[in-house]
C-alpha cells in the first residue's frame, strides 16, 4: 500500500479493509471491486465485470483447529464466532471496512469446509499452471 501511495507501483489488488480507508482519504483511486456485486461501503465503485474485466476474486478468513479436535470444541468455537459477528458494533465496523460478512449458514463448519474445497478446486489449477510453489 505504501508503494501505491508513493507511486512506486501503479496498480494493486488488495482487500477492502486496507484499500477503502486510503481511497476515502483520496490517497489512492479505486477502479473496481472484484466481488460479484458492488460493495455497500463503496457503491459508486463498479465491479470488475462492470468495468470490463470479468473476474471474481475474494479474500476470506476462517478459523481452524488442530486435526482431531472434538466436535464439542468445534461447536463452541463456531458459536463464539457466530455470536461475535452478530454483534451490531462488530458488523458495523466490518461493513465500514467493506467486508462481506458470511451468513450463519455459511459459517457452519461443514459449509466452510465445502467452501474451502471449492476454492481449492478453483485456484489449484491456476496456481499449478503458473508454477506457483509454497515457500
Amino acid at each position: 500500500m505504501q508503494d501505491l501511495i508513493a507511486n512506486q507501483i501503479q496498480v494493486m489488488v488488495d482487500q477492502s479493509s486496507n484499500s477503502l480507508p486510503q481511497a476515502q482519504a483520496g490517497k489512492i483511486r479505486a477502479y473496481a471491486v472484484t466481488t460479484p456485486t458492488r460493495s455497500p461501503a463503496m457503491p459508486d465503485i463498479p465491479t470488475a465485470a462492470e468495468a470490463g474485466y470479468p473476474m471474481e476474486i475474494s479474500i476470506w478468513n476462517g478459523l481452524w483447529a488442530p486435526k482431531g479436535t472434538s466436535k464439542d470444541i468445534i461447536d463452541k468455537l463456531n458459536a463464539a464466532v457466530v455470536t461475535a459477528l452478530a454483534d451490531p458494533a462488530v458488523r458495523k465496523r466490518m461493513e465500514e471496512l467493506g467486508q462481506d460478512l458470511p451468513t450463519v449458514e455459511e459459517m457452519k463448519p461443514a459449509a466452510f469446509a465445502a467452501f474451502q474445497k471449492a476454492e481449492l478446486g478453483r485456484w489449484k489449477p491456476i496456481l499449478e499452471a503458473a508454477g506457483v510453489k509454497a515457500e
Side-chain angles (χ1 to χ4, degrees):
M1 182 58 66
Q2 294 304 316
D3 285 341
L4 184 65
I5 292 169
N7 202 31
Q8 298 299 311
I9 59 173
Q10 284 67 51
V11 178
M12 183 170 135
V13 177
D14 195 15
Q15 62 186 353
S16 59
S17 59
N18 291 338
S19 303
L20 183 58
Q22 303 303 329
Q24 289 171 330
K27 294 180 180 180
I28 64 171
R29 180 173 176 195
Y31 290 101
V33 295
T34 59
T35 52
T37 58
R38 290 185 183 214
S39 170
M42 45 191 140
D44 295 337
I45 307 301
T47 67
E50 289 173 331
Y53 301 95
M55 66 172 151
E56 182 184 330
I57 303 169
S58 62
I59 294 175
W60 50 269
N61 298 285
L63 182 63
W64 293 266
K67 185 176 182 175
T69 301
S70 74
K71 183 177 181 326
D72 288 346
I73 298 296
I74 298 295
D75 290 344
K76 286 179 184 177
L77 289 169
N78 182 250
V81 170
V82 169
T83 299
L85 291 177
D87 180 277
V90 171
R91 291 189 73 78
K92 181 176 184 279
R93 183 63 181 138
M94 297 291 282
E95 290 166 358
E96 288 170 352
L97 292 171
Q99 299 294 298
D100 294 327
L101 295 173
T103 65
V104 173
E105 282 299 313
E106 291 169 329
M107 286 189 270
K108 289 183 177 179
F112 183 56
F115 172 78
Q116 282 184 263
K117 185 176 181 180
E119 285 287 277
L120 180 62
R122 177 180 176 198
W123 292 105
K124 186 177 180 184
I126 294 167
L127 296 171
E128 287 174 345
V132 174
K133 303 278 186 222
E135 293 183 16

